[in-house]
Amino acid sequence: MTREKAIKLLEMLRCRTEARGATPAEAMQAAKLSADIIERYQLDDQPIDRQKGIEMGEGGNRSWMNLLAGGIRKRFQLKSAVIIKCKGQYSKVRFTGPEHAVGVACWLFRAIEVDMRKMASLECIRRDLYGAAKLRFRNAFMVSCACAIYERLAPIVVTDIVVPVDCKPKRRRKCKRKKRLKNSDVRKLMQARDAHFVGFKAGESIKLNTDVLPGSKQLLLTHAGATS
């Protein structure tokens, strides 16, 4: 085995931990084999960080990209960045960390993104939306869908929150009379609410690859062949 292959094998063995779904015996065996490889090939015992990016479309909505990348980043303990470039250039989502984990994170991001876009397009067709209305609905759908997936990838732990009490009396401000909403504004608000609702439901239904996500049953993404 060459030194380059030994480095790749070492990075894969480092991902073989109980936190990632391995049994205690498998994790112990992987740790022992890692130590043997480090000693035999005189390798650094610190993992080598790699960078890998995913090309997105021109422009793009940073909100859902940040949410999805953030969930994957926390699950795999990586670093991530969303780079939105100027008009005419492709945006990029970048992960940094151990090579094997980065490769899996990029693949998972792309596969989930494809499912999200497919579901959003089907919902727009079902509602006969086009133009600006379609764009607004799709953006709201993608953000809510990414929120649901974030919660599944990196569940938020709610701790005791102390709410400060302000004892000073507040002066009442005179509020201007609100203008009556137009029918077009009401329609936009209803479409946004609908998009958030169906988007969150879609995010709960998207199947995640449990080969790399412990604690759930064996499921596969519909686009298992997607590449970064």
Side-chain angles (χ1 to χ4, degrees):
M1 183 167 58
T2 63
R3 183 180 175 84
E4 289 74 17
K5 289 184 178 179
I7 292 173
K8 289 184 178 181
L9 177 59
L10 179 61
E11 290 176 348
M12 294 178 67
L13 289 171
R14 281 173 171 153
C15 295
R16 195 73 173 168
T17 61
E18 292 185 54
R20 295 184 184 276
T23 63
E26 290 173 340
M28 186 180 299
Q29 185 180 9
K32 183 178 179 181
L33 185 55
S34 298
D36 292 341
I37 292 175
I38 291 172
E39 183 180 357
R40 180 177 178 182
Y41 292 91
Q42 298 298 310
L43 300 176
D44 189 354
D45 59 352
Q46 296 298 322
I48 301 173
D49 284 351
R50 307 287 186 184
Q51 278 192 353
K52 192 172 182 181
I54 309 167
E55 292 287 348
M56 309 298 292
E58 184 179 336
N61 187 312
R62 183 188 291 268
S63 299
W64 74 262
M65 292 183 193
N66 276 325
L67 283 167
L68 182 54
I72 294 175
R73 178 192 70 229
K74 288 190 175 183
R75 175 53 69 101
F76 294 105
Q77 298 178 356
L78 303 170
K79 296 178 182 178
S80 68
V82 178
I83 305 167
I84 305 294
K85 297 187 178 179
C86 59
K87 187 175 181 181
Q89 294 180 325
Y90 287 131
S91 303
K92 180 176 285 188
V93 176
R94 181 182 297 158
F95 292 99
T96 305
E99 185 174 4
H100 177 67
V102 166
V104 173
C106 289
W107 171 83
L108 186 60
F109 185 98
R110 178 66 81 192
I112 294 174
E113 178 214 349
V114 171
D115 280 350
M116 288 172 61
R117 290 188 184 278
K118 181 180 178 181
M119 290 181 174
S121 297
L122 289 175
E123 290 294 338
C124 288
I125 293 172
R126 189 177 294 117
R127 288 165 173 74
D128 194 25
L129 299 176
Y130 55 89
K134 179 180 178 180
L135 181 61
R136 287 193 301 268
F137 184 93
R138 186 176 60 192
N139 286 339
F141 179 99
M142 296 288 279
V143 170
S144 291
C145 190
C147 283
I149 294 173
Y150 182 99
E151 175 62 22
R152 293 172 63 193
L153 290 171
I156 301 173
V157 179
V158 180
T159 56
D160 294 333
I161 301 175
V162 178
V163 180
V165 179
D166 188 2
C167 299
K168 295 181 180 180
K170 295 182 179 180
R171 294 179 59 186
R172 296 186 63 182
R173 296 182 179 179
K174 293 183 179 179
C175 299
K176 294 182 179 180
R177 188 174 180 180
K178 294 182 179 179
K179 295 182 179 179
R180 186 175 180 181
L181 291 175
K182 299 179 182 178
N183 290 337
S184 59
D185 295 330
V186 174
R187 187 162 54 251
K188 289 178 183 178
L189 290 172
M190 293 181 66
Q191 286 179 350
R193 184 186 63 177
D194 191 24
H196 285 299
F197 177 77
V198 296
F200 198 86
K201 288 292 183 182
E204 293 178 330
S205 67
I206 288 179
K207 297 180 180 180
L208 304 178
N209 185 332
T210 55
D211 287 339
V212 291
L213 301 180
S216 56
K217 296 180 181 179
Q218 180 67 25
L219 297 174
L220 294 176
L221 284 161
T222 56
H223 298 277
T227 59
S228 60

